[in-house]
Amino acid sequence: MDRDDQQLSKPIPRFGSFRPRESPTHVPEPAQTTKPDKISTTSLNHAVFRKRHQHSRSKRPSRHLNLQRTPEIPSTPEYDFVRWDESPVLFYIDIEGDARNLDYRSSHGIPSYPHPWHDRALGLKTFFGSGVHRTSVVDRGKTSLSKQIRSDHKHTKILRINPKASSVLQDDNGADFVPLQSPKEPKLKCKGHPIGQSLPRGPKTRLHGSVEDGSDSASASESGFDYVSDQSASEDDGARASTLREDLQQRRVALSDRVDEDPSDWRAWMALVKLQDEMDGFPNALSERTPTNAERQSNAGIALSIYRKALKSVVDPDGIERLHLGMMSKAPMVWEPRRLSMHWQSIVKQHPLSLRLWKKYLDFHQSMSSGFTVEENKKRYIDCLDMLQGLRSDIASSESQHSAAYSIQIHVLLRLTLFLREAGYTEVAVGSWQALMEYEFNKPSHLRRVDVTAKLTYDDSILAFERFWDSEAPRIGEPDAKGWLNFSNDDVEQRQASRAQEKPTHDGTNVFKSWADAEYQAYCCSNLPSRAIDESLDDPYRTVLFSDVRHALIESPPGPDHCAIIAAFLCFCHLPPFADNARDQTETLYEDQFVRNEILYDRTVTTGSNFPSHGSAIADSHRPDSSNSTTTNQTNDPCLPSVFAFPLGNYEVSSDTLFTPFGQWFSALGSWSGSVLKDFILRTLNVLANRGVGGDDLAEYLLAFEMHVSPTTVRKSARSLLKSRPSSLRLYDVFALLENRLGNTEAANKVWDTAIQMSAKLNDAARRDAILLWRSRVWHHLSSGQTSKALQQLSRYGSESGLEELLDANGKPLAGATTTVRLRLRNVFSAGRDHMLSLGLSTHAALYSELLVLSDYLLDTTLIQAAHASFVDNLQLLIKVAPTDRRAEALFRQFFARLLHTHTAGKRPISPSTIRAFLTESIAAFPHNTIFLSLYAWNESRFRIDDRVRGIMRDVVFSSDRRNKHNEDEIPSDHITSHFFAVYTDMQRGLVQGSNQSAVRGTFERALSDAGAAHSAGLWKWYFLYEHSNGDMKRAREVYYRAMRACPWAKEIYMLGFDYLSGVMPEVELRAVYDMMVEKELRIRVTL
């Protein structure tokens, strides 16, 4: 056996071999003039540590003071000298470092131990130690070198990347292999080492990694690193800071010259404020610390001075609006609330036609918890409405100013009624909408205004409506209501008083818990306004007087389409929007944190079903059961795929999302939980649709809503609407979809056939909707897996095409006829698409494009490539011809997303990267569309390598908001649904996919730290329920108090403590919360 084999076959030394040898009686002092060439690292370190250990023990005082001990002379151990290549391999250090060193601030991601245990191994005795200086790797581009050196131990050696060494590796970029080491570093195979393992070269290199005679620097240099010292690190930081400061100063000088040359350039002023933020945050960016409150106040003060100087010179109304928004975002850090309130009042008086300024003004007052009362905030809302009405009464106001003021009035009324409803005054909120719709849609003909400035006519209408309201005749939304249009005194005499409802009571076992249940029962029983003659409870707020709704009588400008009123009413009812023309206003409403609070009234909130220690759903199981409603919350259906379960939808509503069966696609009404007001809403929409308000869009919406809440009566309503509109092909399509949803497939096919035959006899304008019939029927077959029937149905489009002869009995093209069928279908649908684009009907053009894509897909359903290529071509054409029609583009993208999901659900082959690429592009175009976000999360849930969902939320969805906030040409916008989605996906992600309670909690905190979500009562409720479901009552209590401070008007937030923390919080605290509700004038129906 040769020497190598002997070395490999040596037994592993036991721990006993490391015991120190007994010292002889006399050991001569070793010579200090010479140094041994090769010293065993292990023996040397053991001897040194043993010597220190004995020396430290000798300094300890004796436990027995009466004993005299002779001090022992410490002995010097003998040193064993062995060859460096013959020593057994215990460990060695890899000076090339690890990728996570910068994250963990230590070598190889191992946290550093406390100082007394430095250089010692965990689990061994204290006299064992490595004797090795730790090595850290720093990146000069990400953080301060001096900071890293100061944070490490004084013996730590810092390495930084050598740019010269990294440039050498670029020569191998074109190679077809990945080198495992630097080309300049030859391998050194060591005896007793595994074959191919490399160590730092040099005859004087010890096995533990320390190097003598400067070879340490040579080894580090060969590995692509250089050692740095405190002085060099400080000099490097100083040079870097000097360079950055010079750049910022140059930019500041340039912007200062720009505003001096043109003081009216508001973009230059905004850029100067942004630069000031960067300069004030520059030292914190270098040191990576959070700025203090004093630094933030100083920065805000400087910014305010810049804003005030800019407002004196800027004359552009758009620029003035942006400057005011920016200034008031900085002002809370410096000014007191009273000064802020006065300044806000002066701003809205100077600029009464700015909706954004009005919104921020209302947000500020409603969220200010100090001194908050319901009556004071209600008065502020009414003053806003009176101010806007006075502006519209001014004869000098132009038509555009009237329209702008009218839109702001509708928005303020929506905010007022939502505020009153969430504070507990539901009757007044509902009565305000009853008054507005009676005044607007049921006004007698002799009182309708012709001239918008005719003040006398307006006053006459107000007096006549007061008589109608005080008569307490049935109003819109109530049973047997005839409306103001058909009002007569006989109706008042025939009315009878309603029966008194039983008064809810609470027992004395658990006072606060039972009181909360009784309060909720009273809320469910009293939503509509009562009358003075009713035998109701002793509650004065149940009766709504004319003075309570006088502010809601908003006169519309001449010739409106009433879409703004309907959209605001649906938003008040927490219903999704219908397809209208006021898309910009609708999108603004449904992304407001003070509007999207339907989670407050959802009694079946689902959060974090993937946390095994806390069950599945968080539901208000203690609340009275409301399952008697016909409304079914499909969110908690165990058979419903999780991809469709997100409760707050934000996408374009169409027949796909209104009538598609649950589980096949997203449902716009599937998660609606407003069962308390469902009868009132149904009656109101029925009256408006039968009056012709909203056209076919509202009629379709009505039938979809009635299908959701009352399936037994929807056929009757559909026939009644078709009788009044016999030539509406869209209503025929809706009727067929209803029959299909109810399970009558044959009846649905018969309705489609009849409508298609009837379309040939209609005029050109009415015949345009015929494409809806073909599209719905094709999707009906495709969703049920009948692809052959779907292709047969497409082949029948256009009798002149003659495609039925090219198909066999199974609906497949004959041999060699596939290309012919594809070309003919492409020609007929392309012609229809181009015709609609020429008429400016982008939505109809998108429908023809959908059938064109479906024809390519149905000819070969095993592949998706042909359909994808067709989709890309049609999308580019649609964007090129109609770039401003965002609704048509969104609908077309949603269609293809549904096609991809249907293809995948049918277990047909498709590459996940194809789905990812399409969804990534769609999210970039529509960052807050929950269909694309939900499908992206569903597609990535099958992969656990990289968390792409969090990445796209961080890099695309929320980064778009950050870009808007720093872009002078775009107004910052709030998107509360994206914050909800980020929290929802984190709660649905399991531990295996990288989520835990801390991660979800961090997502909540990031969302609530954003100004666009800080006062979202629904998000705060989610946060509280999540902490409560985890069993952490301490955190739940902290979140509860934070939520009350952030949302002082939301009664449901206060009630969470009585519902969930009655056994945790002492009675004194619960009584204090109840007293706070009384102090803030929240509505309490049952006295405690």
Side-chain angles (χ1 to χ4, degrees):
M1 181 181 298
D2 57 4
R3 186 175 179 179
D4 293 343
D5 296 334
Q6 291 178 1
Q7 191 75 9
L8 290 172
S9 62
K10 279 186 178 183
I12 300 175
R14 300 183 178 180
F15 288 104
S17 63
F18 291 96
R19 294 175 182 172
R21 299 181 181 180
E22 296 182 359
S23 304
T25 57
H26 175 71
V27 179
E29 294 182 3
Q32 301 296 331
T33 58
T34 61
K35 183 181 290 185
D37 292 338
K38 308 294 184 296
I39 300 178
S40 174
T41 301
T42 308
S43 301
L44 178 59
N45 291 330
H46 293 171
V48 173
F49 276 143
R50 183 175 70 253
K51 181 178 179 179
R52 293 178 180 177
H53 182 65
Q54 293 175 354
H55 182 63
S56 63
R57 290 198 307 173
S58 65
K59 293 182 180 180
R60 298 175 184 172
S62 176
R63 296 181 181 178
H64 307 283
L65 299 178
N66 58 344
L67 295 179
Q68 299 294 332
R69 299 186 59 183
T70 303
E72 298 179 358
I73 300 176
S75 59
T76 303
E78 294 182 357
Y79 297 125
D80 294 334
F81 300 98
V82 296
R83 291 180 56 86
W84 67 276
D85 55 350
E86 294 179 358
S87 176
V89 180
L90 300 180
F91 61 88
Y92 67 93
I93 188 169
D94 176 17
I95 66 173
E96 294 186 3
D98 188 86
R100 308 300 294 180
N101 283 346
L102 292 177
D103 295 339
Y104 294 99
R105 295 292 190 267
S106 61
S107 180
H108 300 291
I110 304 175
S112 58
Y113 294 105
H115 180 73
W117 302 99
H118 180 60
D119 287 345
R120 297 175 183 176
L122 183 65
L124 297 181
K125 294 184 178 180
T126 56
F127 57 79
F128 287 105
S130 63
V132 181
H133 296 292
R134 294 181 294 124
T135 304
S136 299
V137 181
V138 301
D139 188 351
R140 300 170 61 180
K142 291 186 177 181
T143 185
S144 171
L145 296 178
S146 58
K147 178 187 175 184
Q148 297 185 38
I149 292 177
R150 290 192 299 269
S151 63
D152 291 333
H153 193 266
K154 62 181 180 179
H155 296 296
T156 302
K157 294 182 178 181
I158 306 298
L159 294 176
R160 64 182 174 189
I161 301 174
N162 187 355
K164 296 182 179 179
S166 61
S167 62
V168 175
L169 298 177
Q170 295 179 359
D171 298 337
D172 294 333
N173 290 339
D176 56 352
F177 63 92
V178 179
L180 300 180
Q181 65 184 83
S182 175
K184 301 296 183 181
E185 180 185 355
K187 289 186 178 181
L188 177 63
K189 298 180 180 179
C190 301
K191 297 180 180 180
H193 230 0
I195 298 176
Q197 189 168 358
S198 63
L199 289 176
R201 60 178 301 183
K204 296 183 180 182
T205 305
R206 298 196 187 104
L207 289 180
H208 58 64
S210 63
V211 183
E212 293 179 317
D213 298 334
S215 60
D216 206 5
S217 299
S219 177
S221 178
E222 291 173 357
S223 300
F225 298 96
D226 286 335
Y227 284 105
V228 297
S229 61
D230 293 347
Q231 182 178 1
S232 62
S234 300
E235 293 176 355
D236 184 85
D237 280 346
R240 176 168 170 260
S242 178
T243 303
L244 292 179
R245 283 192 180 279
E246 289 179 0
D247 178 65
L248 293 176
Q249 290 292 347
Q250 292 177 1
R251 291 169 55 192
R252 180 180 178 83
V253 170
L255 286 174
S256 299
D257 295 340
R258 182 178 170 186
V259 296
D260 290 340
E261 294 175 0
D262 187 6
S264 62
D265 187 1
W266 62 268
R267 292 180 175 86
W269 287 107
M270 296 290 291
L272 186 60
V273 174
K274 178 184 176 182
L275 181 62
Q276 182 64 38
D277 294 340
E278 295 180 6
M279 295 185 67
D280 290 339
F282 173 73
N284 301 326
L286 284 182
S287 59
E288 292 185 352
R289 67 177 178 87
T290 304
T292 62
N293 291 331
E295 292 174 344
R296 292 176 178 175
Q297 291 179 358
S298 176
N299 180 22
I302 298 174
L304 286 177
S305 64
I306 297 176
Y307 279 122
R308 284 195 293 265
K309 186 177 180 181
L311 287 171
K312 296 178 181 179
S313 304
V314 176
V315 294
D316 184 11
D318 192 18
I320 294 175
E321 179 186 50
R322 296 167 191 264
L323 290 172
H324 277 302
L325 290 173
M327 183 180 67
M328 298 310 293
S329 65
K330 295 284 187 181
M333 303 179 189
V334 181
W335 296 346
E336 59 182 6
R338 183 177 180 181
R339 183 179 180 183
L340 283 171
S341 178
M342 296 176 60
H343 200 78
W344 266 120
Q345 291 179 5
S346 64
I347 288 176
V348 295
K349 287 181 180 179
Q350 294 174 7
H351 310 280
L353 297 179
S354 174
L355 177 60
R356 298 184 182 94
L357 291 175
W358 278 109
K359 287 179 58 179
K360 294 300 180 182
Y361 169 74
L362 298 175
D363 295 349
F364 165 74
H365 285 287
Q366 186 169 334
S367 60
M368 188 172 58
S369 60
S370 178
F372 171 87
T373 59
V374 172
E375 192 64 29
E376 182 179 354
N377 276 269
K378 177 184 176 182
K379 183 178 181 300
R380 187 171 288 109
Y381 275 105
I382 295 176
D383 291 342
C384 295
L385 292 172
D386 293 341
M387 183 190 304
L388 293 169
Q389 185 60 41
L391 177 64
R392 296 184 59 199
S393 300
D394 188 2
I395 301 177
S397 300
S398 61
E399 183 177 352
S400 60
Q401 290 178 334
H402 280 291
S403 300
Y406 173 74
S407 300
I408 298 175
Q409 280 182 295
I410 296 298
H411 182 85
V412 174
L413 179 64
L414 172 63
R415 289 287 303 272
L416 171 61
T417 52
L418 286 172
F419 164 73
L420 293 174
R421 180 182 181 183
E422 292 170 8
Y425 301 90
T426 310
E427 296 88 348
V428 180
V430 174
S432 299
W433 286 105
Q434 284 183 310
L436 175 61
M437 287 184 287
E438 286 282 0
Y439 184 80
E440 191 64 33
F441 302 121
N442 288 332
K443 182 185 296 185
S445 57
H446 67 280
L447 294 175
R448 292 194 176 274
R449 295 173 54 187
V450 179
D451 186 3
V452 72
T453 61
K455 186 176 181 179
L456 181 61
T457 309
Y458 177 72
D459 293 337
D460 292 342
S461 300
I462 295 298
L463 292 175
F465 185 80
E466 183 178 2
R467 289 192 295 270
F468 164 73
W469 189 269
D470 291 340
S471 67
E472 294 186 342
R475 302 148 188 164
I476 187 172
E478 297 178 357
D480 303 327
K482 297 181 180 179
W484 185 23
L485 181 63
N486 302 317
F487 167 70
S488 63
N489 294 327
D490 296 338
D491 297 334
V492 181
E493 298 175 357
Q494 296 177 1
R495 295 191 60 198
Q496 298 180 359
S498 62
R499 298 179 57 185
Q501 299 174 351
E502 184 179 356
K503 182 178 181 179
T505 58
H506 56 88
D507 52 27
T509 56
N510 190 340
V511 178
F512 295 101
K513 180 68 166 54
S514 60
W515 171 78
D517 294 339
E519 184 71 17
Y520 180 70
Q521 291 178 1
Y523 160 75
C524 294
C525 297
S526 59
N527 286 280
L528 296 179
S530 62
R531 298 168 298 176
I533 61 175
D534 291 342
E535 298 177 7
S536 58
L537 303 177
D538 187 13
D539 188 353
Y541 295 105
R542 290 288 308 276
T543 303
V544 179
L545 304 178
F546 176 76
S547 59
D548 298 327
V549 299
R550 169 66 178 79
H551 56 270
L553 304 181
I554 303 174
E555 188 78 23
S556 61
D561 54 1
H562 304 293
C563 289
I565 296 178
I566 299 174
F569 173 71
L570 294 178
C571 195
F572 168 78
C573 300
H574 299 307
L575 285 167
F578 74 107
D580 61 338
N581 296 325
R583 178 59 187 163
D584 295 337
Q585 182 179 1
T586 302
E587 186 176 2
T588 303
L589 291 177
Y590 283 84
E591 289 297 337
D592 194 338
Q593 60 175 327
F594 292 90
V595 175
R596 294 303 299 268
N597 284 328
E598 54 262 42
I599 298 297
L600 285 176
Y601 307 98
D602 191 357
R603 304 297 168 181
T604 54
V605 180
T606 302
T607 56
S609 59
N610 288 335
F611 288 90
S613 59
H614 313 295
S616 56
I618 296 177
D620 294 337
S621 57
H622 65 282
R623 289 294 178 84
D625 185 15
S626 59
S627 59
N628 54 352
S629 172
T630 57
T631 304
T632 304
N633 191 347
Q634 298 295 334
T635 303
N636 295 330
D637 189 356
C639 300
L640 187 65
S642 59
V643 64
F644 309 127
F646 180 60
L648 274 75
N650 181 27
Y651 45 78
E652 293 293 339
V653 178
S654 62
S655 58
D656 291 345
T657 56
L658 288 176
F659 298 100
T660 302
F662 300 118
Q664 293 185 8
W665 192 236
F666 293 86
S667 175
L669 299 171
S671 60
W672 185 74
S673 57
S675 57
V676 175
L677 295 174
K678 67 180 183 65
D679 294 332
F680 165 73
I681 298 172
L682 182 59
R683 298 190 195 101
T684 303
L685 293 180
N686 203 341
V687 170
L688 297 180
N690 284 289
R691 293 282 175 85
V693 180
D696 291 346
D697 294 333
L698 186 60
E700 179 186 37
Y701 194 96
L702 165 66
L703 295 177
F705 180 78
E706 189 170 359
M707 176 67 199
H708 184 70
V709 300
S710 180
T712 57
T713 61
V714 66
R715 284 194 182 95
K716 181 179 179 181
S717 299
R719 291 191 180 96
S720 176
L721 289 173
L722 280 174
K723 186 177 181 180
S724 60
R725 309 175 191 181
S727 60
S728 176
L729 297 178
R730 184 173 182 177
L731 289 183
Y732 276 100
D733 180 58
V734 171
F735 190 29
L737 291 174
L738 290 174
E739 294 289 353
N740 186 38
R741 276 287 307 274
L742 295 174
N744 301 327
T745 306
E746 296 182 359
N749 290 328
K750 184 177 180 180
V751 172
W752 275 319
D753 291 337
T754 303
I756 290 174
Q757 294 176 2
M758 185 185 65
S759 63
K761 303 177 182 179
L762 301 177
N763 54 29
D764 294 339
R767 198 183 305 126
R768 295 168 186 168
D769 290 337
I771 190 66
L772 293 169
L773 304 169
W774 295 92
R775 178 185 179 275
S776 299
R777 197 166 190 180
V778 170
W779 266 113
H780 162 65
H781 295 303
L782 184 59
S783 300
S784 59
Q786 301 174 352
T787 57
S788 300
K789 290 186 177 180
L791 183 59
Q792 286 180 346
Q793 187 65 35
L794 274 180
S795 64
R796 296 192 183 99
Y797 183 82
S799 57
E800 68 279 0
S801 59
L803 294 179
E804 296 183 8
E805 302 176 354
L806 302 178
L807 302 178
D808 57 14
N810 297 325
K812 297 182 179 180
L814 299 174
T818 303
T819 304
T820 305
V821 173
R822 176 179 285 110
L823 290 176
R824 291 188 180 182
L825 288 175
R826 182 172 299 176
N827 291 334
V828 66
F829 291 127
S830 297
R833 176 201 61 195
D834 297 340
H835 178 63
M836 293 301 164
L837 286 175
S838 64
L839 297 176
L841 302 176
S842 303
T843 304
H844 286 73
L847 296 176
Y848 280 96
S849 299
E850 291 181 17
L851 294 184
L852 185 57
V853 174
L854 285 175
S855 63
D856 290 331
Y857 174 73
L858 292 174
L859 288 173
D860 188 2
T861 57
T862 59
L863 299 176
I864 198 69
Q865 286 76 9
H868 183 263
S870 178
F871 164 76
V872 172
D873 295 339
N874 284 273
L875 179 63
Q876 292 177 354
L877 178 62
L878 187 64
I879 296 175
K880 180 180 179 180
V881 177
T884 59
D885 195 344
R886 299 283 288 171
R887 172 174 166 79
E889 180 186 354
L891 288 174
F892 192 43
R893 288 182 179 274
Q894 289 177 187
F895 147 75
F896 194 70
R898 183 185 179 188
L899 181 62
L900 288 178
H901 180 267
T902 304
H903 180 85
T904 307
K907 298 181 179 181
R908 301 181 182 94
I910 186 174
S911 174
S913 61
T914 303
I915 303 178
R916 185 184 304 115
F918 162 73
L919 293 175
T920 302
E921 182 184 353
S922 298
I923 292 174
F926 299 92
H928 308 285
N929 189 300
T930 55
I931 288 182
F932 304 141
L933 292 174
S934 299
L935 290 177
Y936 189 91
W938 163 75
N939 184 58
E940 299 301 329
S941 62
R942 297 172 290 174
F943 307 100
R944 302 175 181 177
I945 299 176
D946 187 17
D947 193 357
R948 296 189 180 95
V949 178
R950 287 178 178 172
I952 200 167
M953 294 296 295
R954 177 185 65 252
D955 301 334
V956 178
V957 178
F958 293 127
S959 66
S960 64
D961 292 342
R962 288 193 294 268
R963 286 195 299 268
N964 290 344
K965 292 178 182 179
H966 296 290
N967 190 349
E968 298 84 358
D969 294 330
E970 296 184 14
I971 292 291
S973 57
D974 299 333
H975 294 281
I976 187 62
T977 54
S978 298
H979 289 291
F980 273 104
F981 185 82
V983 172
Y984 178 80
T985 52
D986 259 6
M987 289 189 293
Q988 296 297 320
R989 188 182 296 111
L991 295 174
V992 179
Q993 296 179 343
S995 181
N996 51 36
Q997 295 180 10
S998 298
V1000 176
R1001 191 174 294 117
T1003 307
F1004 270 114
E1005 293 294 341
R1006 284 191 298 272
L1008 294 171
S1009 63
D1010 187 3
H1015 304 286
S1016 173
L1019 192 60
W1020 279 108
K1021 180 181 179 180
W1022 260 21
Y1023 196 7
F1024 172 82
L1025 294 180
Y1026 175 76
E1027 296 291 0
H1028 185 272
S1029 67
N1030 292 333
D1032 195 341
M1033 297 303 160
K1034 181 179 179 181
R1035 290 184 181 274
R1037 184 171 172 270
E1038 293 176 356
V1039 173
Y1040 174 60
Y1041 280 108
R1042 290 174 59 191
M1044 287 192 295
R1045 288 193 299 268
C1047 309
W1049 75 92
K1051 179 185 175 182
E1052 284 293 318
I1053 295 295
Y1054 292 85
M1055 298 301 295
L1056 291 175
F1058 301 98
D1059 292 333
Y1060 294 93
L1061 301 178
S1062 58
V1064 178
M1065 295 175 61
E1067 294 185 359
V1068 178
E1069 292 188 18
L1070 291 176
R1071 170 61 70 172
V1073 173
Y1074 177 83
D1075 294 339
M1076 187 187 302
M1077 296 174 63
V1078 176
E1079 180 183 355
K1080 294 184 180 300
E1081 301 176 353
L1082 300 179
R1083 171 77 176 283
I1084 296 178
R1085 294 175 172 85
V1086 180
T1087 305
L1088 180 61

